[in-house]
Structures are given as structure tokens and as C-alpha cells.
Amino acid sequence: MSLKPQVLPYFQSIKSLPVEFKLVDSPGAYSLGEIEGANTSRTEMIPDHVLENGELAGSEIGEKIARNDDESPYSSVDMTLVEEEAFASDGTSNSAAAPLRSLIPFRNESKWNDTTYYVAKKKLQAWFQLPNEKWELATILSTSGRESVISLSGEKVLKVNSDSLTPANPDILDGVDDLLQLSYLNEPAVLYNLQYRYGRDMIYTKAGPVLVAINPFKKVPLYGSDYIEAYRSKSNDSPHVYAITDTAIREMIRDEVNQSIVISGESGAGKTETAKIAMQYLAALGGGSGIEYEILKTNPILESFGNAKTLRNDNSSRFGKLIEIHFSGTGKISGAKIQTFLLEKSRVVQCTEGERSYHSFYQLCAGAPPALREKLNLKSAYEYKYLSQSNCYSISGVDDAEEFRTVVEALDVVHVSKEDQERVFAMLAAVLWLGNVSFTPIDNENHVEPVADEGLVNVAKLMECDIADLKLALSTRHMKVRNDNIVQKLTLSQAIDTRDALAKSMYSCLFDWLVEQINKSLAVGKQRTGRSISILDIYGFESFEKNSFEQFCINYANERLQQHFNRHLFKLEQEEYIQDGIDWAKVDFEDNQDCLNLFEKKPLGLLSLLDEESTFPNGTDLSFANKLKQHLNPNSCFKGERENAFTVGHYAGEVMYDTTGFLEKNRDLLHLDSIQLLSSCACHLPKSFASNLCTQSEKPVVGALHKSGGADFQKLSVVSKFKGQLFQLMQRLENTTPHFIRCIKPNNFQSPGLYEQGLVLQQLRCCGVLEVVRISRSGFPTRITHQKFARRYGFLLLDSMASQDPLGVSVSILHQFSIPPEMYQVGYTKLFFRTGQIGVLEDTRNRTLRGILHVQSWFKGYQARREFREMRRVVTNLQSFVMGERTRKNFSSLLRQHRAAVIIQKQFKGRTGKKYYKDIYDASILLQSGIRGWLVRRCSGNIGLLQFDAKKSHEPEEVLVKSSFLAELQRRVLKAESALRVKDEENDILHQRLQQYENRWSEYEGKMKSMEEVWQKQMRSLQSSLSIAKKSLALDESARNSDASVNDDRDSSWDTGSNFRSRDSNGVRSMNTGLSVISKLAEEFDQRCQVFGDDAKFLVEVKSGQVDATLDPDRELRRLKQIFEGWKKDYGERLRETKLILNKLGNDEGSGDKMKKKWWGRLNSSKIN
């Protein structure tokens, strides 16, 4: 941040000047506001009578000034100014400025005299100009009369005239960021301040409303997102391109007026980079739609095809461009349009030693990929004649191959298709190969034809035209004389001119086509609101040892831009002061209207005479120069030179032009044969070039063009076309609020840190920066209408002024805020403020608005919270009623459903329980009836025997036998019932476990490991059931075996016994069969468990990625589940069948026991008998 000095108190007390003082070198009296607003006057104040010792004549004033110890040229005492007394100009000039005036002969003497006498008297520092025209800071040791003794650096002491000293500013003002803040505003002070800042990488300095940018020739840390955010939020107010661009955006939104940023300066001053920086800031603030990225990507394309290396600049723009960026209603970029001016076509075919042609040629040769290189048959840059003229093929620190890739990427961004890109590169290669086309004589009259070599063949291939047509277009010319068509053969010079004209026209049309494609890309689908910011990047003033037609046009454009600069900052400002009737002393400035009249006056202006001579039959460059000398010699801005030269006095100095080639370049002829050749090409690009060239044709060619074999039609002359474009540009700029950036080149060697005072001073004079500062300091740069001022700041008044007119409101505001009268002027329609005054009101307005918004935010927040609480209470009550009603309805519905479910469950369970009870009851009755019948039948024989023995008086034994037998029967009945209960419990357990297994299968289907555990549990339960069944069968078998062993001891002769044994043996065989079936079921269960477990484990490993397999694990899992369900169902059915078989075997066993008991009873009764 630069240091901003405060206005000292003794400056604020100045209300007038002494009557005895007069303003030297001043055209008239100055008002007090002008002098105090500048902090110190630019004029030199000297008393009427100065004694030899430097004392003031007049004791009273002398004592007052002598008592003032401040280092100021003004007294702090109150003085009175007699307005009626006119101040006469002294007429003395600053002799120290004489050497610098030689740089600009056509300028008037600069008016930068200050309080030299005071400086000498107080022994302060001052500037002294050395013989080499450099300024050096000197210390004044003593003063005697008009002579002073000064000390320079290196302890060198000189005695000089006091008039040759220029006051220097105090050290506290070193490096101020605005030249308006300098106490002494003179050339050396401005140069030193710029050098001071430049040495500390502070390359931007304000000069009133103009931003001065010095090219650092290196990267400086002043850019990036952090700086953009700082300038956007106004946290950084130091001079910068970002600050100018931010001001343009804010004024566009606030005033709804289009803005323009005019960037000017010499070649190499950094205009192109400054324009890119401004575009980056606009893209950062107005981005969001994506179009800003496309706008930024146009820079590599335009630089590649429109910039070249010159002796002064490695990236010199050889064309002018105006980028008009449109904004939407929300301040976002919605589109853009690019307009170009005066591309330097001659550079395509001609380069000076040490310079390069356009970057695009070298980038194509260095960066084209192999496929494209082979297709275009590209060679190295030094193998093309157009590029080898200057012996310069590269730029230090620049990679042309990488730049080519950047250009291709940019073409993709702006929606140029790959096919069109290849055609563009083909046209570039065709232009290069055209330069390699050579000619050979065909007769003794020096008529030539193209050699059918590699160059001619490649041109025809790349343009997609017939090689015979190309040869004819380059070696012959068709003319129409009366009614006859004549074919004229060309000489060597004519053929070369035709070839070069075709190459220049092709490149120029290609450049225009690219700009057109860019504009289409930036404008498609964009809704414009009429608000725009235009950035003008145009070539600066040029003066070389030999200046040709290009410098003539460029300097004319700069004259017109300087006129716009003058109109905005000087003419219009002073005219507005006079029209509004404010107290203002007119300030002289350098007006270039005479030079513009020299160019534009009709019919005897430079442009008119050039167009006239271009159409004359015998017009030559020499005749054009003689005509200029004949008609324009009386003009003060024109001076004729020897032979073909003439000199024009521009605002920036004299420039001598050589008219050689003026007429040819102004005509810029492309003969009809070449246009027809372009239209006959199969490629659409040359066809579009021919179409554009035909539309530019305006009038038939006469005279010299026919004589030299001219075309049937001629385009509008170059200067006429350029003049029309320039007037359109000026008209567009006049309708905008301009912001000026003056770029300065510190040295001609492009070396960082090197600061040449003479070069910088010349550019400052050329740009008019010093006049801008002078007028801004003495004028009122800020102005606003009474209506707008009252509307913008009226609410700041403490009392209501609703009934007053805008002028009364404005004056009341000024009085309320105690703005000093000398800091503003009240005009008929506007208020005029000095620098910085409107900022005070704006800060107060912003603070007041922030306070109002703060209070409003609190009040609105309170209202919103109160309304929210009330609404929340109402909504809560409503929700509670609605939710309560809904909940009651849902509860009653659920209650009915619950009661219905309970009733259904009760009925279902009751019926199920009844059926189950009935089945058990019927089975129990059937079992009891069977058992009891069997017991009765078995015991019937014993009862009869007991009855018979009773008759024999054996009654006690009968009772014994019956009692034991009944106990045995009871025991067996209980055992059978317990076995039945155990079987039922086991059956229930099996059903429960089966149900659990099925539930777990559906629940853990995705987890096969858990399924294996369920299977293991089921296996153990089945095994336990089978073991219990086996044990039960084994007990029954052992009992039968014991009974069988007892029965074997009986007599085998009884029939009943033999029958029983046979049935018993059948029972044993049946039981063995049942055991084998059970063993097979158990073995099958184990095998199936093992198989299913392995399959499930394998699928789990496949799904987790542990095993590679091509099968689908989810589908195989579903299939395994289906197999398992089928096997389970089949296995359950077989298990039930086995149980039925076992039950049947148990019944058979019971019948066998009955038979055995019957047989045993019969045997006992037979034995008894």
C-alpha cells in the first residue's frame, strides 16, 4: 500500500493570496479553490519586489512570511485576494526544460514552473538537469540573488542559475500512488515518483482519472484470486487494472451506462497483457455461465494469428481489437463481440532482419503432430522463404510447440470443429508454400510461368484447386478492353507481386474468418441487456528510422484516439464548466485538431489526396509526394522533405514518412484471376474468402490499373475502409464512459529494472499524462446533477426537505456536512467537486445505509420471529387436533381389528383344540378297547380255570393268580401310555424343530454358514429320535427273545405253539427290516447334510471373491434352495411312512403277544387238565 499524505493544517487555513503576489506563466487569475485543491499551486509565486538577499519588499508581509517556519511556499496567515486585479504573466521560461523539448518540436512550452524562489531561500532539495538531459536531485547550499550553490551526488558542488532548479517534493511524498498528491507537480518529480514505485515492483500509478502502467518485463506478484477478491471487496484501494475494471463494472450497474476501457501505449508497453488482465477480472466477477472461459480463450487465438515479434516487442499486436463484453441483468457475462482493425498484411510476405512473421506460422511448424505434418507436408520454418528472410525463428523463453497446443485447445473451446481446424492449418501451410513458388522465363520479354516444383504442387493440394488454374492465375492476367478479352502474360516482378498479394489476402481473410467464428461462438444463445464494457487494445504511436504506410495509418488512429482523450478529459470538461456557469479559469492544453484536419480535410487532406492519387492513371509514389508538398506546405503540421518523404507533426512528435509503396498498399489489389482461383477451390474456406472479397468490390478500376494489367474490380481503399472503421469506433466510444490506461515502456531492451528517464518522459508527454494531472488538480473531476445528488444523499438531512427543490436540498446537504466552499462549485444543473470530496459523502451514505439496514434487519427479524412463533403456535394446535383425531380413528380401527383377531383366533384355536382332543380321545378309546379286549381275551382262560378250581376248593390260589396277573396287566398299560406320551412329545419336538428350521431358512437365506448350523441341529435331533427308536425296538426285541426262549422249552408237538413261533419269527424279521430302513434314512441324512453344506460353503466363497468361478452365486443359491426344499419334503414323507410302518409293527407285536398269551393260557389249562 502506498503512503497517502495528509493535508497539513497550514494549507487548510489559506483563504486568499497577497495582493502583491502574481502568478507567473499563467493565462489569467486562478480561483482559491483551484489553488488549495491542488495542495500547492503549479505556478511560481514571486513578490513584485525581491531584494538581493532574498528578503521580501514590504515589512509587514516579510515579517509574516519570515515567522513561518513551515517548509511550505505559502504563508499560514490570513490574506486577502483582490479579485479585480489581473495578474500578468512573467514570460520567463524554464531553461532546464529546453533539452527535453527537442524530443517534441511541435509542442508548446510546458508550464511546470513552481515556487523556485522559496525553495532556494529555504535551502531545500531541488531537481537539476545535467547536460545528458537526466535529472538529478540536488541540495541547495546557499542562494545569492539569482544564483544558487548546489551539491550533487558524489559531493560535487556547482553554482547554477536559480531558474534552472526545479523544486523537489519532501521525502514523505516519495512513491505516492496518485500523482495528484505531489506538492510540486513537475516533470522530474513525476519521473522520480514513477521510478521510485517501479523499483519496488509497484508498476501502477494513478494520474488523476488515468492509470499509468509501466511494463516490468517480468512476473510481479500483483495478480490472482486473492487480489481479485481484495479489489472486489474494496479492501485494497491501491492503483491497479483490477481497480479500473471494478470501477467500470460498478458504474455500469449503477448508472446503467456502457463503459469502455481504452488501453494505449507504444509497442512493447504491455497493452495486450493489460487487456488480458482486465478480461480476467471481468471473467472472475461476471462469470458463472461458462462464456467467460470462452472469452479468455480467444486471447491465444488472436495472439497467434495477429501478433508477431518485432525489434521492440516479442509479442507485438499487429492489429487493433475492440472486445465488447455484454452483461445480463444480474451482472453476469452473457456474450461478447470482437472487432479488429488494420491487420498488417505486409508482414506475411516481408520481414525485417531480427523480426518474425506471425506466431501462427512458427507454431504450426514446431508443434504440428506427425499425422498433420505429413498431411500438410510441413517442413521446418527456415525452409520457407517467407520466414527465412529475417533469420529469426524463435523467441527466448517461448516454446512454439506448446503454444500450438494451447491454440488448438482454444479453438476447441470456441467450437471450431476439427475439420475446420485442419482446413485453417492447411491455409497456413498453403501461404507458406506460396512463398516457395518460383518462376522461370518463357520468352525474351521476361514473361514467366511458375515452376511445377514441390511448392506449386503443395499449394494446389492444400487449396484443393487444379494446378493448371493455379499456374495461370500466377502467370497471366485477364483484361477486358472494350468488347475484347485479352490475356496478358506477367513479368517476373508482376508475378511475384501477384503471388504475394494472393498470400496476403488469404491470410487476411483467414484472420477475419477466425474472428467471425469466435463471434458466433460468443454470441450464440446469449440474451443481451444493452449493458456492455468495451476493452480497446490498439497499436500505439510508432516512429522508426523508416516509416511506411502502416505507421501512417497507425499514427492517424492514435491521433483520433488522442482527440477522444482530449475531448473527454480537457475539451468537454472545460466546456462543461463554462456551460454550467461555475467559477473556472481556463487551462491551456495541447489540442491535436490541426493534425486531424491535416489527415481528414477534404479535398486537400492526406487521406483524400492518397485516395485520389491511387486512382489516377499515372499515379506514382513520387507524384503523390509532390502533390502533398504542393497543397499542404502551408499547413503548420506538415513539412515537405526531399524526394518521396514528408513529415507530419503529430501530438507525440514529428514523424517522417517515406511514400514508397503507399499507393500499392492503399489499393491492396487482388486481381480477378486470383479471386476466381479461390472460388474454384473444392475447400470451402477459399470459397468463402472469394465471396468476401467480391462483396468488398465497389467500383470499376480505371487508368493505371488497366495499364498495368489491373483487375476488373477494386476493393474500397485501405485508408477509406480504415477511416470508416475508426469513425465507427469513435462513435461507439463516445456513447460510453471511458476509463484510460496508459502503458509505459521503461526501456527499449525489454530488461527488468532498467528505467530510462528520457524514454519514459517522452511517452508521458505523448500520452498527455502530465496535462491530465495538471487539469485534474486544478479542476473538478467529480460532477453530479442536482436531482441525482438530492435523490442519492437527500435522506442524510436531519430536517425534512421534501418541499424544497433539488438545488435547495443539495445546498442543505453541503452545509450540513460542512464541506468547504472551495472544494465544490454549484452550477446551473450540476454540482462540481474536487477530488475526494464525493468519497466523503459516499462513505457517510454507506455508513448510514448500513445502520438503517442494521436497524431494519433487527426490526424485521423481531417481526419475523413474532410471526413465526404465532404461526408455530397455531400450526401446533391445528396439528394436535388433526393428529389426535387421526390417532383416535386409527386406534378405534386397530381395536376393532384386534378384537376380531382375538375372536378368530379363539374360534380357530377352539376348533383345533377340539379336533385334536377328539382325535386323542378316539385314539385313546380305541387303544383302551383294544388293550382291554386283548386282556379280557387273554385272561378268559385263567378265569375259567379259576372257576373250575373253585369248585375244587382251591379259591385262595385263584385269587392270588388273578391279583398278580392284573398287576402285570396294569403295569403294561401304564408302560404303553407312557411310551405313547413320549412318542407324542418327540413328535411335537420334531414338528417344532422342523418349523424352526423352515423359519431360519427363510430368515438366513443369504448366510449359508448359519444354515449349516441349523442343519446340524436338525441332524442331531433326528439322530436322537432315531437312537430313541432304536433303543425302544431293542428293548422290545430282547423281551421277545426272552419270551421266545421260554416258549422254546415247551413241547413242540402242540399246534398252537408251532403257529405262534412262526408268527414270532416273522415279527423278528419285520423288526430287522425296520431297523435297516432307519439306518438307511440316517445314512442318507448324513450324506445330504454333507453335500448341502459343501455346496453352500462353495457359493459363499464365490460370492466373497475367495474363489474364481464363472457361475452366478445368487442364481445357484436359489437353485440349491429349491433342491433342498424338494429333498426335505421327500425326506419328511419317507420319515412319516417309516413311522407308520413302525407303528404297524408295534400293533403286530401286540397281536403276537396276545397270541402268545392265548397260547400260554391254553397250555396252562391243558396242563391243569
Side-chain angles (χ1 to χ4, degrees):
M1 299 295 292
S2 60
L3 182 62
K4 293 185 177 181
Q6 302 294 328
V7 179
L8 299 178
Y10 46 75
F11 288 153
Q12 299 176 357
S13 63
I14 298 175
K15 300 299 180 184
S16 62
L17 293 176
V19 177
E20 295 84 354
F21 275 56
K22 63 181 179 180
L23 304 180
V24 179
D25 199 19
S26 174
Y30 278 72
S31 67
L32 175 65
E34 298 161 5
I35 298 174
E36 183 172 347
N39 201 0
T40 54
S41 175
R42 62 174 178 81
T43 58
E44 180 182 0
M45 297 186 297
I46 303 176
D48 287 338
H49 306 286
V50 182
L51 302 181
E52 291 295 326
N53 58 358
E55 296 293 334
L56 289 175
S59 59
E60 182 181 355
I61 298 177
E63 290 174 1
K64 291 182 179 179
I65 296 181
R67 289 197 301 267
N68 184 13
D69 296 331
D70 298 324
E71 294 184 356
S72 169
Y74 307 119
S75 171
S76 61
V77 299
D78 192 10
M79 303 179 183
T80 306
L81 176 64
V82 181
E83 297 182 0
E84 291 81 3
E85 181 177 348
F87 297 117
S89 300
D90 186 36
T92 58
S93 61
N94 191 351
S95 61
L100 289 178
R101 288 194 203 102
S102 61
L103 297 173
I104 309 174
F106 279 85
R107 290 177 55 88
N108 294 332
E109 300 300 328
S110 300
K111 306 173 182 65
W112 300 105
N113 301 318
D114 262 292
T115 54
T116 308
Y117 168 75
Y118 177 82
V119 172
K121 182 176 181 297
K122 284 294 183 180
K123 299 181 181 180
L124 302 177
Q125 289 183 328
W127 292 102
F128 178 73
Q129 192 173 33
L130 301 177
N132 60 0
E133 299 182 359
K134 289 187 177 180
W135 292 92
E136 186 170 346
L137 192 62
T139 302
I140 301 177
L141 301 179
S142 63
T143 301
S144 175
R146 286 295 177 180
E147 292 183 350
S148 299
V149 178
I150 61 174
S151 173
L152 302 177
S153 60
E155 299 181 356
K156 184 178 180 181
V157 178
L158 296 176
K159 186 176 183 180
V160 297
N161 191 337
S162 299
D163 293 336
S164 64
L165 299 178
T166 303
N169 292 289
D171 295 342
I172 194 174
L173 296 180
D174 288 347
V176 293
D177 58 5
D178 193 343
L179 298 179
L180 292 179
Q181 299 172 5
L182 295 176
S183 297
Y184 300 106
L185 187 62
N186 45 53
E187 290 180 347
V190 171
L191 285 175
Y192 175 74
N193 190 75
L194 294 177
Q195 183 175 6
Y196 184 92
R197 293 178 60 82
Y198 179 72
R200 290 157 179 78
D201 288 339
M202 295 183 290
I203 61 175
Y204 297 112
T205 305
K206 290 181 65 178
V210 179
L211 178 68
V212 178
I214 304 180
N215 193 344
F217 294 116
K218 65 179 181 179
K219 292 184 178 180
V220 291
L222 297 177
Y223 312 102
S225 57
D226 294 338
Y227 280 88
I228 291 176
E229 178 61 27
Y231 282 95
R232 186 193 66 81
S233 61
K234 293 295 184 181
S235 60
N236 190 344
D237 60 352
S238 58
H240 202 286
V241 179
Y242 289 164
I244 294 292
T245 312
D246 186 80
T247 301
I249 294 178
R250 295 179 185 273
E251 291 185 3
M252 179 193 69
I253 297 175
R254 183 189 66 194
D255 302 334
E256 297 184 356
V257 177
N258 293 338
Q259 308 290 311
S260 61
I261 301 175
V262 181
I263 304 172
S264 59
E266 286 192 6
S267 177
K271 300 184 299 297
T272 302
E273 291 299 321
T274 302
K276 288 160 63 175
I277 293 169
M279 292 170 62
Q280 290 172 2
Y281 189 83
L282 290 177
L285 264 65
S289 60
I291 190 67
E292 71 280 358
Y293 183 67
E294 297 183 27
I295 295 175
L296 293 177
K297 280 298 181 181
T298 61
N299 290 319
I301 301 174
L302 296 178
E303 288 185 14
S304 174
F305 288 86
N307 289 25
K309 180 185 183 302
T310 64
L311 295 176
R312 295 186 176 185
N313 187 6
D314 289 343
N315 190 32
S316 176
S317 297
R318 308 317 299 163
F319 70 105
K321 66 180 176 182
L322 177 70
I323 302 177
E324 188 176 10
I325 302 176
H326 293 265
F327 291 82
S328 64
T330 59
K332 299 298 182 182
I333 296 177
S334 61
K337 183 180 179 181
I338 298 176
Q339 183 180 357
T340 59
F341 311 95
L342 195 65
L343 179 70
E344 186 184 6
K345 294 191 289 186
S346 61
R347 186 169 290 271
V348 177
V349 299
Q350 182 180 355
C351 288
T352 308
E353 183 74 20
E355 295 187 350
R356 293 204 322 175
S357 185
Y358 291 103
H359 296 326
S360 56
F361 295 124
Y362 305 92
Q363 292 170 0
L364 178 65
C365 293
L372 181 61
R373 180 177 294 275
E374 181 180 357
K375 184 175 181 180
L376 304 182
N377 197 16
L378 284 176
K379 294 185 177 182
S380 299
Y382 63 85
E383 298 184 62
Y384 294 105
K385 294 182 180 179
Y386 281 160
L387 305 183
S388 61
Q389 302 176 50
S390 62
N391 294 322
C392 180
Y393 307 103
S394 61
I395 302 175
S396 177
V398 177
D399 185 358
D400 288 323
E402 183 62 30
E403 294 297 325
F404 178 79
R405 287 187 285 271
T406 302
V407 171
V408 172
E409 179 185 354
L411 290 172
D412 292 333
V413 172
V414 297
H415 307 105
V416 177
S417 64
K418 290 296 183 182
E419 294 77 8
D420 285 342
Q421 290 182 29
E422 289 188 1
R423 295 188 182 99
V424 168
F425 299 141
M427 291 300 102
L428 287 178
V431 171
L432 291 178
W433 281 113
L434 267 175
N436 286 12
V437 173
S438 58
F439 300 92
T440 179
I442 58 175
D443 54 26
N444 295 329
E445 297 181 359
N446 199 25
H447 293 151
V448 296
E449 69 175 4
V451 178
D453 56 1
E454 183 183 18
L456 189 69
V457 173
N458 285 328
V459 171
K461 176 183 175 183
L462 295 171
M463 294 178 61
E464 300 182 21
C465 66
D466 187 72
I467 191 171
D469 295 339
L470 179 60
K471 292 179 66 176
L472 288 175
L474 295 178
S475 60
T476 61
R477 186 168 301 162
H478 290 75
M479 294 185 300
K480 188 174 183 179
V481 179
R482 297 179 181 176
N483 295 328
D484 297 330
N485 292 323
I486 299 176
V487 178
Q488 179 185 7
K489 295 181 180 179
L490 302 181
T491 62
L492 179 61
S493 60
Q494 291 175 338
I496 291 176
D497 290 341
T498 301
R499 179 198 66 185
D500 292 346
L502 178 61
K504 291 188 294 183
S505 296
M506 287 178 61
Y507 191 84
S508 176
C509 292
L510 178 63
F511 183 78
D512 293 339
W513 182 86
L514 282 172
V515 173
E516 182 182 357
Q517 299 304 309
I518 291 173
N519 287 334
K520 288 180 181 179
S521 173
L522 299 182
V524 173
K526 309 300 185 297
Q527 297 180 355
R528 300 179 180 177
T529 61
R531 298 179 183 176
S532 65
I533 296 178
S534 301
I535 300 177
L536 178 63
D537 173 16
I538 199 165
Y539 17 63
F541 184 84
E542 291 186 353
S543 178
F544 304 114
E545 293 182 1
K546 182 179 180 180
N547 300 284
S548 185
F549 180 76
E550 289 79 14
Q551 284 71 42
F552 179 78
C553 294
I554 288 173
N555 292 339
Y556 165 57
N558 279 271
E559 287 288 349
R560 176 54 65 183
L561 287 174
Q562 183 66 22
Q563 174 74 2
H564 173 69
F565 182 76
N566 291 342
R567 279 177 55 81
H568 180 71
L569 295 179
F570 303 147
K571 272 188 177 181
L572 296 181
E573 185 166 359
Q574 298 197 73
E575 289 175 1
E576 188 174 5
Y577 292 160
I578 296 173
Q579 291 174 2
D580 233 59
I582 69 170
D583 187 9
W584 164 258
K586 188 174 181 180
V587 178
D588 293 334
F589 63 90
E590 301 298 331
D591 190 3
N592 64 338
Q593 186 61 50
D594 293 340
C595 186
L596 282 176
N597 292 336
L598 174 66
F599 274 90
E600 299 172 352
K601 186 177 180 181
K602 293 183 179 181
L604 298 179
L606 287 173
L607 303 181
S608 300
L609 292 175
L610 178 58
D611 277 343
E612 178 182 299
E613 193 68 18
S614 298
T615 57
F616 279 173
N618 298 320
T620 61
D621 296 331
L622 181 59
S623 65
F624 170 62
N626 292 331
K627 180 176 289 188
L628 294 181
K629 298 172 188 177
Q630 177 184 354
H631 294 285
L632 301 179
N633 259 337
N635 193 303
S636 61
C637 295
F638 179 85
K639 184 167 59 176
E641 303 291 344
R642 293 180 180 180
E643 297 180 354
N644 294 353
F646 65 94
T647 300
V648 175
H650 290 282
Y651 75 95
E654 286 187 347
V655 178
M656 180 184 293
Y657 297 99
D658 187 354
T659 60
T660 302
F662 262 56
L663 298 184
E664 179 185 355
K665 293 179 180 178
N666 184 45
R667 292 164 182 161
D668 192 26
L669 293 178
L670 183 66
H671 297 281
L672 187 60
D673 302 83
S674 299
I675 297 178
Q676 291 176 349
L677 173 67
L678 293 175
S679 62
S680 66
C681 296
C683 180
H684 77 87
L685 275 182
K687 286 185 176 180
S688 65
F689 298 165
S691 177
N692 292 336
L693 291 172
C694 289
T695 57
Q696 294 174 4
S697 298
E698 183 182 54
K699 58 184 178 180
V701 176
V702 296
L705 302 183
H706 280 289
K707 183 177 179 181
S708 61
D712 292 336
F713 288 93
Q714 173 194 359
K715 297 186 301 181
L716 194 66
S717 69
V718 172
V719 292
S720 297
K721 180 180 177 181
F722 182 60
K723 181 180 178 182
Q725 289 181 336
L726 202 56
F727 270 89
Q728 291 178 1
L729 173 64
M730 292 299 105
Q731 185 177 6
R732 181 179 299 178
L733 293 179
E734 289 291 342
N735 295 327
T736 64
T737 300
H739 306 268
F740 296 98
I741 301 178
R742 296 301 199 189
C743 297
I744 303 296
K745 182 171 61 173
N747 61 80
N748 288 321
F749 307 102
Q750 303 180 27
S751 176
L754 181 60
Y755 187 88
E756 297 180 359
Q757 289 186 1
L759 179 63
V760 175
L761 181 60
Q762 181 185 7
Q763 295 176 75
L764 291 175
R765 287 172 172 173
C766 293
C767 295
V769 171
L770 301 178
E771 280 81 1
V772 169
V773 177
R774 179 164 56 92
I775 289 190
S776 297
R777 284 185 56 165
S778 59
F780 301 88
T782 305
R783 64 212 63 180
I784 186 171
T785 62
H786 298 310
Q787 292 80 2
K788 189 173 181 179
F789 186 82
R791 185 171 58 252
R792 187 168 185 82
Y793 304 106
F795 71 94
L796 298 177
L797 289 175
L798 299 178
D799 300 328
S800 177
M801 296 290 180
S803 60
Q804 292 191 11
D805 60 322
L807 177 60
V809 174
S810 301
V811 174
S812 300
I813 295 172
L814 297 174
H815 290 167
Q816 177 174 314
F817 288 95
S818 301
I819 297 179
E822 63 272 12
M823 304 309 292
Y824 68 88
Q825 288 279 353
V826 180
Y828 299 139
T829 61
K830 296 178 182 178
L831 286 173
F832 296 82
F833 293 92
R834 295 200 184 275
T835 303
Q837 295 306 309
I838 199 68
V840 177
L841 290 175
E842 196 67 22
D843 292 340
T844 305
R845 177 180 181 272
N846 292 336
R847 288 195 301 270
T848 306
L849 286 178
R850 284 195 295 268
I852 292 173
L853 291 176
H854 190 65
V855 174
Q856 287 180 346
S857 65
W858 277 101
F859 181 71
K860 290 181 178 179
Y862 166 74
Q863 282 187 327
R865 286 189 293 272
R866 187 179 63 180
E867 292 176 359
F868 173 74
R869 286 193 294 267
E870 181 65 22
M871 188 177 296
R872 184 174 60 183
R873 185 184 63 80
V874 174
V875 170
T876 302
N877 293 338
L878 181 60
Q879 286 179 345
S880 63
F881 285 119
V882 174
M883 295 175 67
E885 183 65 22
R886 185 185 301 170
T887 303
R888 284 188 291 273
K889 289 183 179 179
N890 293 338
F891 178 75
S892 61
S893 176
L894 289 175
L895 186 60
R896 289 194 300 270
Q897 293 177 6
H898 177 71
R899 290 175 179 174
V902 169
I903 293 173
I904 292 173
Q905 289 179 354
K906 182 172 65 175
Q907 294 293 331
F908 179 75
K909 290 181 179 179
R911 292 194 177 189
T912 304
K914 289 179 182 178
K915 183 179 179 182
Y916 180 74
Y917 173 76
K918 188 174 182 301
D919 292 340
I920 296 296
Y921 180 76
D922 294 340
S924 300
I925 292 177
L926 181 61
L927 181 61
Q928 288 178 357
S929 63
I931 292 174
R932 289 175 180 175
W934 176 74
L935 291 175
V936 170
R937 285 190 295 274
R938 184 176 181 183
C939 297
S940 60
N942 294 335
I943 293 173
L945 181 58
L946 291 174
Q947 290 176 354
F948 177 76
D949 290 339
K951 294 179 181 178
K952 297 294 184 179
S953 303
H954 295 292
E955 186 173 352
E957 184 180 358
E958 180 182 358
V959 174
L960 254 178
V961 172
K962 185 176 181 180
S963 170
S964 60
F965 188 75
L966 290 176
E968 178 65 16
L969 289 177
Q970 186 176 4
R971 184 182 63 81
R972 291 189 178 186
V973 170
L974 294 175
K975 182 178 180 181
E977 290 178 352
S978 63
L980 180 62
R981 285 194 299 272
V982 170
K983 293 296 183 181
D984 291 336
E985 291 176 358
E986 291 176 354
N987 191 21
D988 293 338
I989 292 173
L990 289 175
H991 279 292
Q992 292 176 1
R993 290 181 178 176
L994 182 61
Q995 186 65 31
Q996 292 176 358
Y997 176 78
E998 291 176 351
N999 293 336
R1000 289 178 180 174
W1001 170 259
S1002 60
E1003 185 177 351
Y1004 299 100
E1005 182 178 1
K1007 300 179 181 179
M1008 298 307 298
K1009 291 182 179 181
S1010 299
M1011 186 186 298
E1012 291 178 4
E1013 295 177 1
V1014 174
W1015 290 347
Q1016 292 295 334
K1017 291 180 181 180
Q1018 291 182 350
M1019 183 181 68
R1020 287 194 296 269
S1021 65
L1022 289 176
Q1023 286 178 351
S1024 62
S1025 300
L1026 290 174
S1027 61
I1028 293 171
K1030 287 181 181 181
K1031 290 179 182 180
S1032 177
L1033 292 175
L1035 291 175
D1036 293 341
E1037 184 179 4
S1038 61
R1040 284 194 298 272
N1041 290 335
S1042 61
D1043 293 340
S1045 63
V1046 174
N1047 292 330
D1048 288 339
D1049 294 336
R1050 305 292 181 182
D1051 191 0
S1052 59
S1053 60
W1054 294 358
D1055 294 335
T1056 56
S1058 61
N1059 292 335
F1060 178 78
R1061 281 194 298 271
S1062 63
R1063 286 193 298 272
D1064 189 57
S1065 62
N1066 291 333
V1068 173
R1069 286 194 299 272
S1070 299
M1071 189 59 61
N1072 292 332
T1073 303
L1075 290 174
S1076 65
V1077 170
I1078 293 172
S1079 299
K1080 290 180 180 180
L1081 289 175
E1083 182 179 359
E1084 181 183 359
F1085 183 83
D1086 294 335
Q1087 293 176 355
R1088 286 290 184 172
C1089 287
Q1090 184 66 29
V1091 171
F1092 285 126
D1094 294 340
D1095 291 344
K1097 184 177 181 181
F1098 175 75
L1099 291 176
V1100 170
E1101 293 177 349
V1102 170
K1103 193 166 185 180
S1104 62
Q1106 298 178 4
V1107 178
D1108 295 332
T1110 58
L1111 52 84
D1112 186 4
D1114 295 330
R1115 186 169 59 83
E1116 292 298 328
L1117 184 62
R1118 289 193 295 271
R1119 190 175 65 83
L1120 181 62
K1121 179 181 176 182
Q1122 293 174 359
I1123 295 173
F1124 176 79
E1125 292 291 340
W1127 173 80
K1128 184 177 72 171
K1129 184 176 180 181
D1130 178 70
Y1131 188 82
E1133 291 176 355
R1134 286 187 287 158
L1135 188 61
R1136 285 192 293 272
E1137 290 175 359
T1138 304
K1139 289 181 180 180
L1140 292 176
I1141 293 172
L1142 292 177
N1143 290 333
K1144 186 176 180 181
L1145 290 176
N1147 294 333
D1148 292 341
E1149 180 184 353
S1151 62
D1153 291 337
K1154 292 178 182 179
M1155 293 299 295
K1156 288 199 298 182
K1157 291 178 181 179
K1158 185 177 180 181
W1159 169 80
W1160 179 74
R1162 290 178 181 174
L1163 182 59
N1164 288 338
S1165 39
S1166 63
K1167 285 183 179 181
I1168 293 172
N1169 293 330

